[in-house]
Amino acid sequence: MLNQALIVTLRILAFRAGPQDFPYAQQPSLTYGCVAFAVLANAVVARLVAPWSAALALGVVVVAALWLYTRFALRLRGFENRLQQTFNSLLTTSSVLTLALWPPASRLVPAMQQMLEQLSKNPELMEHPERLPPMNGSLVLLIYAILFWQFAVTVNIFRHATDTRPLGGVLIALLCVFNVLMFELVASPLIQWLGG
């Protein structure tokens, strides 16, 4: 079943399948595996700027927010029976693309931290941005491209899961992103506390 889940995940990422093609499991072990993969993927990327405890907490918050929103959206449309396949599809595809963010982000984050250190020591540099170290524009573009791909995949999954037109899928996916960000904002004091 894991092989089938991997193949369908790759097909969904290529827009050649939808959540309805994701394996359905009578036992929750497949969902548990998808949840663990998603928490770990988010934590690996968050680890670039936070300690492991805070990064793992952020991963848990993202997965919880995604589950709550997906359940709400499907229940609202009368398709709650599609929850397992939709949620697992969202988890696996977003996890693969989140991990794809790690290589460019791991090179960009130290440069950004160096720039912030220089700005904190010399605030007058804000008036002379040409004196700051340059950012690698290709890395920034690559990160934006991966994020756009992730959003497009989320639109496609929600569009299929809720039987809506593409514009409806865009609206549902935008609300999903907003929901996850709100959960992260509400949980940020706990995440910061865990980070020490």
Side-chain angles (χ1 to χ4, degrees), residues 38 41-43 45-46 93-103 146 150:
N42 281 285
V45 175
T93 56
S94 66
S95 297
V96 168
L97 292 174
T98 297
L99 288 174
L101 284 171
W102 188 84
I146 293 169
Q150 187 170 9

Side-chain angles (χ1 to χ4, degrees), residues 34-87:
C34 293
V35 165
F37 180 45
V39 169
L40 187 60
N42 281 285
V44 164
V45 175
R47 178 65 182 98
L48 294 171
V49 293
W52 272 112
S53 55
L56 286 169
L58 179 66
V60 169
V61 167
V62 168
V63 169
L66 190 59
W67 181 80
L68 286 170
Y69 178 80
T70 304
R71 185 170 182 225
F72 172 77
L74 292 177
R75 178 179 284 180
L76 201 63
R77 295 282 298 159
F79 295 122
E80 200 169 2
N81 60 323
R82 300 178 180 180
L83 178 61
Q84 185 194 88
Q85 289 171 293
T86 304
F87 182 56

Side-chain angles (χ1 to χ4, degrees), residues 4 6 11 21 46 48-49 87 93 96 98 105 112 116 121 129 141 158 192:
Q4 187 183 359
L6 176 61
R11 291 185 66 225
D21 300 306
L48 294 171
V49 293
F87 182 56
T93 56
V96 168
T98 297
M112 290 178 69
L116 290 172
K121 291 176 185 174
L141 283 175
F158 276 121
Q192 288 173 356

